[in-house]
Every structure is written in C-alpha cells, then in structure tokens.
Amino acid sequence: SGSEGMARTVYERVLAINPQEVRALVRLADIEIGLGNAPRAEDLLARALAIDPDSEFIRTRLANIRAYTQGEAPEAAEESA
C-alpha cells in the first residue's frame, strides 16, 4: 500500500544515515514481511541481531522468519520442477 511504501522509504533513509539503527531495521523488516519479501526481512533482522545480540525479541523474530522461509523452500522447488 501507499503508507507501507512511504514508511519503507523513511526507514531506508534512516538506515542510510545510521545503518546501526536497530529499530529502523526491525520496522523495515516488518514492512518487508507484509510485502511478502521474507528473504529481505531475514537479512534486516540478522543485521539487527548482529548489532544487538542480546535482544530476545529480534532473535525470536529471526527464528520465525527462518522457519517460514525454510518451510517455503521445498514447495518453491517443487513448483519450479
């Protein structure tokens, strides 16, 4: 949607200024999940966890995304066969 696109742009600008901004990484990951871009969300959450390795919230979100993307992989492989 338009609001997601604007929010995405804002968070990307924040990260261009400060790539270490954990909240922007997590919120941008949420937007990417909403847009169906789980691999990008996973990358953003991995970056956030590298900055804040003690965050149980980020660790859990990242584990959930990884479980989702791994669960999708076999199905995607079958479709391309």
Side-chain angles (χ1 to χ4, degrees):
S1 78
S3 62
E4 282 180 329
M6 281 200 304
R8 184 187 210 184
T9 299
V10 168
Y11 291 125
E12 286 174 345
R13 287 181 182 167
V14 168
L15 291 169
I17 295 165
N18 180 6
Q20 305 293 307
E21 177 55 54
V22 172
R23 287 175 298 185
L25 288 164
V26 171
R27 291 191 175 131
L28 185 54
D30 287 342
I31 292 168
E32 294 296 340
I33 291 166
L35 295 173
N37 193 355
R40 176 123 196 269
E42 182 178 349
D43 178 60
L44 292 163
L45 290 170
R47 285 173 51 195
L49 189 61
I51 296 163
D52 186 2
D54 295 327
S55 173
E56 194 60 38
F57 174 78
I58 297 170
R59 186 178 313 280
T60 300
R61 294 297 296 274
L62 184 56
N64 289 341
I65 290 292
R66 286 182 172 157
Y68 172 78
T69 57
Q70 289 171 1
E72 292 292 306
E75 184 178 305
E78 288 173 13
E79 289 176 10
S80 65

